[in-house]
Each structure stands twice: as structure tokens, then as C-alpha cells.
């Protein structure tokens, strides 16, 4: 059995981007990987099918304690997918619910945690969820925010953006690599290269550059336009892959909306350089 490497983030923070990069780097193929096959190398612990082994009811009928009882068992099952490391996507905070950790320590080797300016997340996440900007701002500030709980997906507990980021980054941990979305955008060779080095390899320059190019927003957006993207919610009001540009919030948010986000998350935004200096 292997151990789990979590690809962890608040939603719309670059999780799919990192997964696509890792897929392209590891496969090292002559063409970009299919965005609809990212689960070939990166599993998801919220897939309801993984819980059916332990409870045959429709997943929408599971209570929170039901899911939390099964979650460590599902995480253990995920370790059988590979004999070394298993990459697992999660939007869960690194917290406990119903007395059970959302991230099971016993099977965890580490995590790549992606952090993004919450003002840009609001713009992207509102389209993703089909909500207004103001409702999305309120959701991202709610300490009990959660998603999922359908027949396809069990619940993910996010908490607020600040609490989510705090849960993954509060203490220095060599087993958690924290990456800013903005660094991936401004200097991808350094940011993505650091991820491969953290995994214990020195990336060959050509292989790294090709994986970065194959996982660009232009490539992934073109694939989505041609074939759709299975992970795009049915109620989304725009494509899953937008421009990917850092700072797009400046053209979208009103001054009052900007101020509300900064009031809700000011200390954590300052910590990661989103207030007080350019991101």
C-alpha cells in the first residue's frame, strides 16, 4: 500500500491546475493529458461510489456522522491504488468533524496546499456555483460552509476561506508544501518545479516546461470547449476554465464587495501578501 499526498485547496484556487500539471509531468507524453481523465492519477475522496462498499444507501441519505465514520476507511482504501504515493484531490479543511479528522493522519504522507487571493476566488467561484457575487462572499465567510451531500458526492467541509487556509498552514510542516496560485501564474517554472523537488526529484528542464505548457489554461480551456469537462457543475454559469489571470477581481468587484472580503479575511490576506503589497 502507498500513502496519500493531498492536493488541497479551497475551491477555485488552482487544484485542477496542479492536478493537470502532475498528470502531464508524470505521464510525460507527447500530447496534453485529457482533462476528463485526471482521475487516472488523482483520486477524489468525495466520490460516493467509494462509500458504497460500507453503506449501500444512496449517498444523499448519509448523515454527517455516517460519512465521518466511513471516511477513514475510504482513505485507507485509497492507499491501495498505488504502492508508493497516491495523489488525492480535496477541498476539505484540515479539521475534525463529528470527532473524526477530515484528513486521516495515519495514511497521509503530505500535501500540496494551494492558496489564492480570495477576491479572485469569489469571482470564479460565483460562476462555478451559479451564485451571485454577494452570496459567494457570504458563503466564503461562513464558518460552517460545506458542499456536496448528493448521490454522487459526500460532503466536504470547507469552513471559511480564512479558517480553511489556517487549518492547512498554521504551523510550519515539511510535509505540507504551500504554493501561492499567483506564483504559479507569474513564475511557473519555479512554482511547479518546487512541487517536483518537494516530491523528491530534480525535474529535467524540458520535461518540466512541456508539462507546464500542456497544463496551461489555454490548453485546458480548448479541451473544455471541444469536449466539455466532467467536473463542471450543472448549475455553473460559465466555463470551468476562465482566464486564470491573477487580479481579475479588479475588473469585477465593486469597492463595497472588495472591502467586505478584506474585512472578512484581512489577517490571512495580509499573511499571504494579498494586502499591503502587490500579489
Amino acid at each position: 500500500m502507498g500513502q496519500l499526498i493531498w492536493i488541497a485547496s479551497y475551491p477555485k484556487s488552482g487544484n485542477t491546475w496542479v492536478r493537470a500539471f502532475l498528470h502531464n509531468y508524470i505521464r510525460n507524453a507527447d500530447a496534453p493529458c485529457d482533462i476528463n481523465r485526471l482521475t487516472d492519477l488523482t483520486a477524489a475522496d468525495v466520490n460516493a461510489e467509494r462509500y458504497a462498499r460500507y453503506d449501500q444507501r444512496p449517498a444523499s441519505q448519509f448523515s454527517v456522522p455516517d460519512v465521518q465514520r466511513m471516511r477513514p476507511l475510504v482513505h485507507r482504501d485509497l492507499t491501495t491504488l498505488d504502492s508508493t504515493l497516491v495523489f488525492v484531490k480535496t477541498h476539505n479543511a484540515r479539521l475534525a468533524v463529528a470527532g473524526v479528522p477530515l484528513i486521516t493522519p495515519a495514511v497521509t504522507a503530505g500535501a500540496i496546499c494551494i492558496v489564492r487571493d480570495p477576491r479572485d476566488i469569489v469571482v470564479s467561484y460565483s460562476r462555478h456555483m451559479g451564485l451571485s457575487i454577494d452570496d459567494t462572499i457570504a458563503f466564503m465567510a461562513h464558518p460552517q460552509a460545506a458542499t456536496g451531500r448528493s448521490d454522487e458526492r459526500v460532503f466536504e467541509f470547507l469552513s471559511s476561506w480564512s479558517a480553511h487556509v489556517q487549518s492547512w498552514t498554521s504551523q510550519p510542516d515539511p510535509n505540507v508544501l504551500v504554493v501561492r496560485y499567483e506564483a504559479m501564474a507569474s513564475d511557473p517554472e519555479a512554482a511547479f518545479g518546487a512541487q517536483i523537488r518537494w516530491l523528491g526529484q530534480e525535474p529535467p528542464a524540458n520535461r518540466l516546461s512541456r508539462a507546464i505548457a500542456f497544463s496551461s489554461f489555454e490548453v485546458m480551456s480548448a479541451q473544455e470547449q471541444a469536449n466539455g469537462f466532467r467536473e463542471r457543475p450543472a448549475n455553473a454559469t460559465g466555463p470551468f476554465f476562465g482566464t486564470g489571470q491573477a487580479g481579475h477581481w479588479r475588473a469585477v468587484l465593486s469597492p463595497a464587495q472588495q472591502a467586505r472580503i478584506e474585512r472578512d479575511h484581512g489577517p490571512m490576506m495580509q499573511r499571504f501578501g494579498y494586502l499591503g503589497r502587490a500579489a
Side-chain angles (χ1 to χ4, degrees):
M1 293 192 300
Q3 283 195 302
L4 308 186
I5 295 287
W6 300 94
I7 311 301
S9 73
Y10 196 89
K12 304 307 292 181
S13 296
N15 198 300
T16 304
W17 192 6
V18 170
R19 292 164 60 215
F21 163 75
L22 290 172
H23 198 128
N24 280 295
Y25 182 86
I26 293 168
R27 287 292 168 86
N28 197 26
D30 294 329
C33 71
D34 183 346
I35 57 172
N36 285 311
R37 298 197 61 178
L38 293 181
T39 52
D40 287 358
L41 286 181
T42 52
D45 74 327
V46 296
N47 187 334
E49 292 179 358
R50 298 192 181 278
Y51 293 75
R53 175 180 177 183
Y54 302 102
D55 192 325
Q56 296 298 314
R57 293 176 298 160
S60 58
Q61 296 181 18
F62 296 164
S63 67
V64 167
D66 287 338
V67 174
Q68 288 303 91
R69 172 180 54 82
M70 293 184 280
R71 198 182 293 271
L73 303 176
V74 170
H75 291 173
R76 182 192 62 191
D77 292 344
L78 288 170
T79 67
T80 67
L81 297 178
D82 194 274
S83 60
T84 55
L85 298 177
V86 179
F87 296 100
V88 184
K89 167 190 174 180
T90 188
H91 293 313
N92 276 313
R94 199 179 187 182
L95 298 170
V97 172
V100 179
L102 293 160
I103 305 297
T104 305
V107 295
T108 295
I112 298 173
C113 174
I114 311 109
V115 177
R116 187 184 188 186
D117 189 328
R119 294 167 295 193
D120 275 327
I121 294 176
V122 162
V123 174
S124 182
Y125 203 21
S126 67
R127 294 194 304 265
H128 184 77
M129 294 196 298
L131 295 177
S132 70
I133 291 284
D134 288 326
D135 285 345
T136 305
I137 291 172
F139 179 85
M140 289 178 59
H142 200 296
Q144 297 299 316
T147 60
R149 201 165 185 178
S150 68
D151 284 341
E152 291 74 38
R153 299 172 66 249
V154 301
F155 83 94
E156 284 184 301
F157 183 75
L158 311 180
S159 192
S160 69
W161 177 83
S162 291
H164 189 285
V165 173
Q166 174 75 4
S167 75
W168 281 102
T169 67
S170 60
Q171 300 293 331
D173 184 347
N175 294 322
V176 177
L177 177 69
V178 180
V179 183
R180 293 170 78 249
Y181 178 101
E182 294 75 19
M184 296 194 301
S186 64
D187 193 349
E189 284 78 12
F192 287 108
Q195 295 172 34
I196 301 302
R197 294 184 184 95
W198 179 80
L199 290 168
Q201 297 181 13
E202 182 59 37
N206 290 343
R207 182 174 176 178
L208 177 65
S209 296
R210 180 163 60 178
I212 291 170
F214 283 176
S215 55
S216 70
F217 275 79
E218 291 78 11
V219 168
M220 293 191 288
S221 178
Q223 287 193 32
E224 182 183 15
Q225 290 177 31
N227 301 307
F229 185 40
R230 295 172 187 165
E231 298 181 25
R232 177 183 178 271
N235 59 337
T237 59
F240 186 94
F241 299 103
T243 66
Q245 295 178 346
H248 182 59
W249 61 267
R250 293 182 176 88
V252 179
L253 300 180
S254 70
Q257 290 167 335
Q258 296 173 32
R260 185 176 171 192
I261 296 167
E262 292 166 9
R263 183 173 64 250
D264 289 341
H265 306 292
M268 194 61 64
M269 292 178 71
Q270 288 181 334
R271 179 182 165 198
F272 282 93
Y274 299 127
L275 291 177
R277 64 179 176 86

